[in-house]
Amino acid sequence: MNVAELKKDAEQRMAKAIEVLKVDLAKIRTGRAHTGLLDHVMVEYYGSMVPVPQVANVTLIDARTIGVQPWEKNMLSKIEKAIRESDLGLNPSNMGEILRVPMPPLTEERRRELGKLVRHEGEQARVAVRNVRRDVNHEIKEALKKKTISEDEARRAEDDIQKLTDRYIGEIDKLVEKKEQELLQI
């Protein structure tokens, strides 16, 4: 791989770490309702496990309530059971053709726990970005040993990778700070 390909690869892998962090942060419940909260709740559908949004229409009824309307009526009780047994701590109520899933308010203790979880997810993303930097720097050093690039090129490439790392770490910090503010505002 040449230096340009290494940089491009590093940027793609770091961007992937950011995307994973965004998905993980979206799963952290803030007390406000959002439809993405049920994306990882699995329900049995004709013998296989599928996410709730694949068997039902998931909408927001109001700021603190999610509405789940299954496409098949026989799925209502299965979806209700799956949401109740998930790790989200939600208690859906069956309204005949639709499930109402109210978001309970967060206690101060739970907010602190969620804040720690947000910081942990952020640190995981930082570690992933640093690992990409380490891998790419190792490849640059290998290329330098094999004399496929000059020392100046290697130094410039390492500086560019460090700048890229700093940019993505800054983005991670912004995402974590934004999520922490969301937790405190409710």
Side-chain angles (χ1 to χ4, degrees), residues 19 29-30 84 91 127 145 167:
E19 290 306 311
R29 187 167 63 82
T30 60
R84 201 175 302 268
N91 193 14
V127 167
K145 280 183 188 175
R167 189 177 92 212

Side-chain angles (χ1 to χ4, degrees), residues 16-34:
K16 181 71 175 160
I18 296 285
E19 290 306 311
V20 168
L21 175 65
K22 286 178 182 177
V23 168
D24 289 345
L25 290 180
K27 290 178 186 174
I28 297 175
R29 187 167 63 82
T30 60
R32 270 194 217 112
H34 67 89

Side-chain angles (χ1 to χ4, degrees), residues 122-141:
E123 188 54 39
Q124 295 288 82
R126 282 186 207 95
V127 167
V129 167
R130 289 185 197 121
N131 285 343
V132 170
R133 176 188 62 190
R134 182 198 63 215
D135 294 346
V136 171
N137 282 343
H138 178 74
E139 289 185 41
I140 290 169
K141 285 183 173 97

Side-chain angles (χ1 to χ4, degrees), residues 112-166:
R112 277 193 231 108
E113 286 174 21
L114 290 174
K116 287 178 186 175
L117 182 60
V118 167
R119 287 187 291 280
H120 175 73
E121 294 293 344
E123 188 54 39
Q124 295 288 82
R126 282 186 207 95
V127 167
V129 167
R130 289 185 197 121
N131 285 343
V132 170
R133 176 188 62 190
R134 182 198 63 215
D135 294 346
V136 171
N137 282 343
H138 178 74
E139 289 185 41
I140 290 169
K141 285 183 173 97
E142 288 297 313
L144 185 61
K145 280 183 188 175
K146 294 177 184 173
K147 303 227 186 276
T148 56
I149 61 172
S150 69
E151 285 185 31
D152 289 342
E153 278 181 303
R155 198 170 305 111
R156 260 193 308 275
E158 286 177 354
D159 288 345
D160 290 347
I161 295 299
Q162 184 59 48
K163 287 175 188 167
L164 198 60
T165 302
D166 293 341

Side-chain angles (χ1 to χ4, degrees), residues 2-152:
N2 66 26
V3 174
E5 289 172 342
L6 284 174
K7 288 180 195 175
K8 185 177 178 184
D9 179 54
E11 187 158 12
Q12 288 173 344
R13 289 170 53 197
M14 288 179 185
K16 181 71 175 160
I18 296 285
E19 290 306 311
V20 168
L21 175 65
K22 286 178 182 177
V23 168
D24 289 345
L25 290 180
K27 290 178 186 174
I28 297 175
R29 187 167 63 82
T30 60
R32 270 194 217 112
H34 67 89
T35 57
L37 201 59
L38 300 178
D39 285 352
H40 74 285
V41 176
M42 304 300 268
V43 63
E44 185 188 346
Y45 184 67
Y46 293 109
S48 60
M49 299 302 281
V50 296
V52 169
Q54 289 186 11
V55 294
N57 188 19
V58 181
T59 58
L60 290 180
I61 295 174
D62 59 45
R64 298 183 65 85
T65 310
I66 298 173
V68 181
Q69 186 170 17
W71 295 316
E72 297 177 22
K73 286 190 182 217
N74 65 337
M75 291 301 297
L76 196 65
S77 60
K78 290 180 181 180
I79 293 171
E80 181 180 8
K81 183 180 179 205
I83 293 171
R84 201 175 302 268
E85 291 176 353
S86 71
D87 61 347
L88 297 173
L90 300 175
N91 193 14
S93 58
N94 190 330
M95 308 302 280
E97 291 187 11
I98 190 169
L99 285 176
R100 292 176 56 89
V101 186
M103 294 288 126
L106 296 174
T107 63
E108 189 60 37
E109 181 183 337
R110 182 71 177 138
R111 287 177 207 261
R112 277 193 231 108
E113 286 174 21
L114 290 174
K116 287 178 186 175
L117 182 60
V118 167
R119 287 187 291 280
H120 175 73
E121 294 293 344
E123 188 54 39
Q124 295 288 82
R126 282 186 207 95
V127 167
V129 167
R130 289 185 197 121
N131 285 343
V132 170
R133 176 188 62 190
R134 182 198 63 215
D135 294 346
V136 171
N137 282 343
H138 178 74
E139 289 185 41
I140 290 169
K141 285 183 173 97
E142 288 297 313
L144 185 61
K145 280 183 188 175
K146 294 177 184 173
K147 303 227 186 276
T148 56
I149 61 172
S150 69
E151 285 185 31
D152 289 342

